[in-house]
C-alpha cells in the first residue's frame, strides 16, 4: 500500500519520533512518505526507503498554497495519516470533498486545545475513516458521534532503547526529566519541588533535557532561585537512554499530556518514575507499584514523594524493576502491527 504521513515538523518532539518509527517500520512492506508542512530537516533518523517531502519548498510559508498543493500532490490511492490536531484539521479541510482514505491521530489531551480548534475537531472529524488516540481516557473525550471510529494504540518504543538498561547502570545523585520547555510541561513546578528536596538531600542535581519556547524564562527562574549549580537545562540529546540511565529517578510535572514518550522511555529502561496525573500516566503507572502518580500542580506532593523515594534505595530498585515490564504494552513490532492492520482495513471497511 501507499502511505502518506502528514506532520507539521520532524523536530525532536514525541509525535515526530512516533511518526519516524512508524514510517521506518512500515516502509518494509509499503511505499511510505512523510510530508512536513513547515520544517526542512529531521531530528530523527529516517530510512532511505522513506521519502520525505517539505511542503515549504513548493509553497513557501503560505498555508493557503499548501492547502491546494497537498490536495493536488497526494493521489487518491494513498492512505493519509495526519498527526496532531492542527495538522489533521488542515488535512481534513484539504480533502473535504474527495474520496481519499484518512486516518487522523490525536496526540494530546483534547481539553488542552483552544476553543477554535475544539470546534474544528467537532465539525471536521466526520471526514476521517479512523481516529487513533493514545489512551482510553482521551478516547472518552472525543466527539460522541465518531466513537465507533476510534482506535486506542499506544506509542511504540524506539529500537534504540534497551529494556532494563538503567537497572545495571552506575548511578549518580541525579534526578532527570525530559520534555519540551513549555508551560504545558510545568518545569517551574518541578524546580520548586526540587528546591525542597535539596533541603534534605543537598548533594542531588536536577537535569532537564529538551528545548522549547520557555527556555530563557526557565533559565531566569533557576537563577532567581539560586539553583544555577543544581538545576541544569541540557538541551536535546541524540542518546537520551544513556543520559537518563545514570539517574536515580525520572520526573514529569506536565499539566496535561497525550501519552508521554519520555515517561514511557524512562519506565522501559527501568527508572523509577514520579509523574503528575495526566492522561497517559494512569495507563502506564499503577500507583505505588511501578511508579508514583501525584496530583497535577501539587508542589508539596512532588517534593514529599521525591524525598521519600530518594531515602529508600530498595523502593527505587523495586519500582524501576517493575516499570520496565511495560515492554509488553509498547513493543514496537506489536504497535506497528496494530497500525498495519488498521491501514489494511481501510479498503474493506469503508466508513
Amino acid at each position: 500500500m501507499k502511505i502518506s504521513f502528514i506532520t507539521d515538523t520532524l523536530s525532536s518532539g514525541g509525535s515526530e519520533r512516533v511518526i519516524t518509527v512508524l514510517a521506518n517500520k512500515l516502509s518494509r512492506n509499503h511505499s511510505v512518505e512523510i510530508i512536513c508542512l513547515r520544517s526542512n530537516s529531521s531530528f530523527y533518523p529516517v530510512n532511505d526507503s522513506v521519502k520525505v517531502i517539505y511542503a515549504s519548498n513548493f509553497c513557501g510559508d503560505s498555508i493557503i498554497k499548501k492547502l491546494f498543493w497537498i490536495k493536488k500532490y497526494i493521489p487518491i490511492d494513498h492512505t493519509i495519516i495526519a498527526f496532531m490536531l492542527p495538522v489533521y484539521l488542515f488535512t481534513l479541510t484539504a480533502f473535504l470533498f474527495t474520496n481519499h482514505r484518512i486516518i487522523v491521530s490525536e496526540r494530546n489531551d483534547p481539553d488542552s486545545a483552544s476553543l477554535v480548534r475544539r470546534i474544528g475537531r467537532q465539525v471536521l472529524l466526520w471526514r476521517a475513516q479512523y481516529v487513533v488516540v493514545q489512551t482510553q481516557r482521551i478516547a472518552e473525550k472525543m466527539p460522541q458521534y465518531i466513537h465507533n471510529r476510534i482506535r486506542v494504540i499506544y506509542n511504540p518504543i524506539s529500537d534504540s532503547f534497551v529494556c532494563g538498561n538503567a537497572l545495571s547502570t552506575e548511578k549518580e545523585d541525579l534526578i532527570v526529566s525530559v520534555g519540551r520547555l513549555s508551560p504545558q510541561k510545568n518545569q517551574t513546578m518541578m524546580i520548586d519541588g526540587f528546591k525542597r528536596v535539596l533541603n534534605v538531600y543537598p548533594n542531588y542535581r536536577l537535569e532537564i533535557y529538551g528545548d522549547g519556547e520557555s527556555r530563557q524564562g526557565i533559565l531566569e527562574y533557576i537563577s532567581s532561585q539560586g539553583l544555577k549549580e543544581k538545576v541544569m537545562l541540557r538541551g536535546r540529546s541524540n542518546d537520551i537512554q544513556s543520559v537518563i540511565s545514570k539517574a536515580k529517578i525520572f520526573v514529569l510535572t506536565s499539566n496535561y499530556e497525550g501519552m508521554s514518550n519520555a515517561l514511557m522511555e524512562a519506565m522501559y529502561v527501568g527508572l523509577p518514575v514520579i509523574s503528575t496525573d495526566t492522561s497517559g500516566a494512569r495507563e502506564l503507572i499503577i500507583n505505588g507499584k511501578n511508579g508514583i502518580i501525584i496530583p497535577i500542580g501539587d508542589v508539596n506532593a512532588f517534593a514529599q514523594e521525591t524525598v521519600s523515594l530518594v531515602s529508600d534505595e530498595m523502593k527505587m530498585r523495586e519500582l524501576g524493576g517493575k516499570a520496565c515490564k511495560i515492554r509488553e504494552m509498547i513493543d514496537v513490532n506489536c504497535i506497528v502491527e496494530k497500525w498495519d492492520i488498521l491501514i489494511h482495513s481501510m479498503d474493506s471497511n469503508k466508513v
Side-chain angles (χ1 to χ4, degrees):
M1 295 186 70
K2 298 175 182 178
I3 302 169
S4 295
F5 284 95
I6 304 178
T7 182
D8 188 30
T9 73
L10 282 178
S11 64
S12 60
S15 293
E16 292 85 350
R17 183 191 68 77
V18 171
I19 285 178
T20 54
V21 168
L22 290 175
N24 288 340
K25 290 287 187 179
L26 290 169
S27 67
R28 295 175 180 178
N29 299 309
H30 303 282
S31 174
V32 179
E33 66 181 9
I34 301 174
I35 300 170
C36 294
L37 297 178
R38 282 198 304 128
S39 70
N40 287 294
S41 62
S42 176
F43 179 80
Y44 298 104
V46 180
N47 291 353
D48 291 340
S49 56
V50 178
K51 184 179 180 182
V52 181
I53 300 99
Y54 300 106
S56 295
N57 292 342
F58 303 93
C59 313
D61 295 329
S62 171
I63 192 71
I64 300 300
K65 288 182 179 178
K66 289 175 184 176
L67 200 68
F68 285 101
W69 171 83
I70 204 166
K71 183 177 181 179
K72 183 177 179 180
Y73 173 80
I74 300 179
I76 192 70
D77 61 339
H78 283 220
T79 295
I80 298 170
I81 304 176
F83 268 51
M84 297 178 285
L85 176 58
V87 175
Y88 78 63
L89 292 181
F90 167 90
T91 303
L92 295 174
T93 301
F95 296 97
L96 196 57
F97 301 111
T98 73
N99 292 319
H100 287 75
R101 297 165 299 194
I102 303 174
I103 300 172
V104 304
S105 186
E106 185 82 33
R107 310 304 300 177
N108 221 326
D109 188 322
D111 292 342
S112 67
S114 68
L115 177 60
V116 170
R117 287 177 176 171
R118 291 201 301 271
I119 293 172
R121 181 199 292 128
Q122 185 75 30
V123 170
L124 291 171
L125 268 185
W126 66 268
R127 179 59 188 85
Q129 276 68 45
Y130 288 109
V131 180
V132 174
V133 299
Q134 299 163 86
T135 72
Q136 187 59 42
R137 196 160 153 187
I138 291 175
E140 293 166 359
K141 294 182 178 182
M142 299 301 283
Q144 187 68 36
Y145 77 90
I146 51 92
H147 273 202
N148 64 321
R149 307 184 197 180
I150 295 176
R151 301 294 181 269
V152 177
I153 303 179
Y154 291 162
N155 292 344
I157 198 78
S158 172
D159 282 338
S160 63
F161 283 82
V162 178
C163 187
N165 180 74
L167 299 174
S168 58
T169 301
E170 186 175 349
K171 299 296 181 181
E172 301 176 13
D173 288 343
L174 174 65
I175 296 169
V176 294
S177 184
V178 180
R180 191 176 72 257
L181 304 182
S182 71
Q184 173 190 346
K185 306 295 182 177
N186 200 1
Q187 281 98 356
T188 53
M189 171 196 154
M190 183 187 305
I191 293 164
D192 288 341
F194 179 70
K195 187 174 183 179
R196 301 182 189 186
V197 174
L198 288 175
N199 292 331
V200 185
Y201 292 100
N203 292 329
Y204 267 73
R205 308 186 324 275
L206 171 64
E207 293 185 353
I208 303 172
Y209 288 85
D211 208 348
E213 67 272 21
S214 297
R215 180 178 180 83
Q216 187 58 39
I218 294 172
L219 281 172
E220 292 172 1
Y221 190 73
I222 291 169
S223 180
S224 72
Q225 298 300 305
L227 296 172
K228 290 177 68 174
E229 303 302 318
K230 288 295 182 179
V231 180
M232 292 84 176
L233 301 187
R234 296 301 194 190
R236 298 168 178 169
S237 172
N238 289 313
D239 187 13
I240 201 68
Q241 176 178 238
S242 295
V243 298
I244 68 172
S245 290
K246 63 186 180 182
K248 290 186 176 178
I249 301 172
F250 174 92
V251 295
L252 186 74
T253 53
S254 297
N255 292 326
Y256 57 90
E257 288 281 354
M259 178 174 281
S260 167
N261 288 293
L263 178 62
M264 288 191 339
E265 291 161 358
M267 294 180 71
Y268 188 82
V269 301
L271 281 174
V273 300
I274 298 174
S275 172
T276 44
D277 191 9
T278 58
S279 174
R282 281 285 173 183
E283 299 206 15
L284 294 171
I285 298 173
I286 303 171
N287 194 25
K289 301 294 184 182
N290 65 346
I292 295 170
I293 294 177
I294 61 171
I296 292 170
D298 193 331
V299 177
N300 288 331
F302 175 82
Q304 290 168 8
E305 292 291 355
T306 303
V307 167
S308 177
L309 197 52
V310 167
S311 68
D312 192 339
E313 292 279 349
M314 184 175 295
K315 184 68 172 179
M316 282 193 282
R317 288 195 298 271
E318 179 185 347
L319 290 180
K322 291 181 178 178
C324 63
K325 292 182 180 179
I326 67 164
R327 64 182 179 273
E328 298 163 8
M329 301 166 55
I330 59 175
D331 173 74
V332 64
N333 294 317
C334 177
I335 298 301
V336 171
E337 182 181 4
K338 290 180 179 181
W339 274 96
D340 204 13
I341 291 171
L342 186 62
I343 292 165
H344 276 292
S345 74
M346 297 286 278
D347 281 330
S348 57
N349 189 20
K350 303 293 185 183
V351 178

